[in-house]
Amino acid sequence: VILIVVSVCTASGAWNWLMDPETQKVSFFISFLNHTFFTIRCITLIGLFFAGIHRRVVAPSIIAARCQTVLAEYNTSCDDTGKLILKPRPHVQ
């Protein structure tokens, strides 16, 4: 959720930054200083990527959970990385 919010804020800040007529007239650094919202969001987004938030996306865990549900019928499972785990066969008496 945090990644989506920061990405949307960065995109809207980028749109405002690019559509500003002053951006073409001033230097690159001054342009960033004029658009603090965009600058802060870019720094936040870069910081989040360095912190590894892109690895914490929920979709892989959803896929793994669904695979575990299906594989449970065959007495097998898988871990979060997708490796197959074979369980011992149940003894029928």
Side-chain angles (χ1 to χ4, degrees), residues 58-75:
V58 180
S61 63
I62 292 173
I63 293 170
R66 289 180 182 169
C67 288
Q68 288 172 346
T69 303
V70 171
L71 290 172
E73 296 177 17
Y74 300 101
N75 206 31

Side-chain angles (χ1 to χ4, degrees), residues 31-42:
S31 177
F32 272 134
L33 289 177
N34 289 342
H35 296 277
T36 54
F37 179 77
F38 174 64
T39 306
I40 292 170
R41 294 300 163 235
C42 280

Side-chain angles (χ1 to χ4, degrees), residues 10-86:
T10 304
S12 66
W15 179 260
N16 291 334
W17 179 60
L18 291 172
M19 292 299 136
D20 185 14
E22 290 248 347
T23 302
Q24 298 174 2
K25 299 175 186 173
V26 295
S27 69
F28 187 70
F29 183 70
I30 300 297
S31 177
F32 272 134
L33 289 177
N34 289 342
H35 296 277
T36 54
F37 179 77
F38 174 64
T39 306
I40 292 170
R41 294 300 163 235
C42 280
I43 293 169
T44 305
L45 189 62
I46 291 168
L48 287 173
F49 275 108
F50 278 128
I53 197 162
H54 60 286
R55 285 184 249 131
R56 296 184 178 109
V57 177
V58 180
S61 63
I62 292 173
I63 293 170
R66 289 180 182 169
C67 288
Q68 288 172 346
T69 303
V70 171
L71 290 172
E73 296 177 17
Y74 300 101
N75 206 31
T76 57
S77 185
C78 66
D79 61 5
D80 291 336
T81 61
K83 292 183 181 178
L84 188 63
I85 301 170
L86 299 175

